[in-house]
Amino acid sequence: MSLQPEITQRDLRSRSREIMDAVEHGQSFTVTRDGHGIGELIPLRRRPRFVSRQQFAAMSRNTPSVDLEAFRADQDAAVDHEAISQYDR
């Protein structure tokens, strides 16, 4: 037995805005048709947008170092290539 509230297919059709608002706010539902569960509406998991300084530091510990001169050379080469391609048209 599901702990989620059950809604009928007809309820979903007629109250879709209300139900979708509830899902957006974390509520889950089991959708039924003819008394039988046919699916679930569950909120998508979203990663938090804010990352604390401690989290960022922890995530950054294992990142490779960047050779700034090589990075700049790659950027300059890409820009030079794009500029030359525009004049070839």
Side-chain angles (χ1 to χ4, degrees), residues 6 8 17 23 33 39 43 48-49 53 55 72 76 82:
E6 291 185 356
T8 64
R17 182 178 180 90
V23 171
R33 182 180 350 167
R49 290 180 179 222
R53 180 177 291 173
Q55 289 171 316
R72 181 58 190 233
D76 289 342
E82 289 176 10

Side-chain angles (χ1 to χ4, degrees), residues 23-81:
V23 171
E24 185 176 34
H25 290 96
Q27 180 67 54
S28 299
F29 296 93
T30 298
V31 181
T32 63
R33 182 180 350 167
D34 298 326
H36 302 285
I38 60 169
E40 293 179 321
L41 286 175
I42 59 171
L44 293 176
R45 290 187 195 150
R46 297 190 182 196
R47 291 184 174 189
R49 290 180 179 222
F50 176 78
V51 177
S52 71
R53 180 177 291 173
Q54 292 82 8
Q55 289 171 316
F56 180 78
M59 291 185 293
S60 301
R61 284 192 190 109
N62 297 322
T63 59
S65 61
V66 175
D67 180 344
L68 294 178
E69 289 180 22
F71 179 72
R72 181 58 190 233
D74 288 345
Q75 286 183 322
D76 289 342
V79 170
D80 289 343
H81 176 71

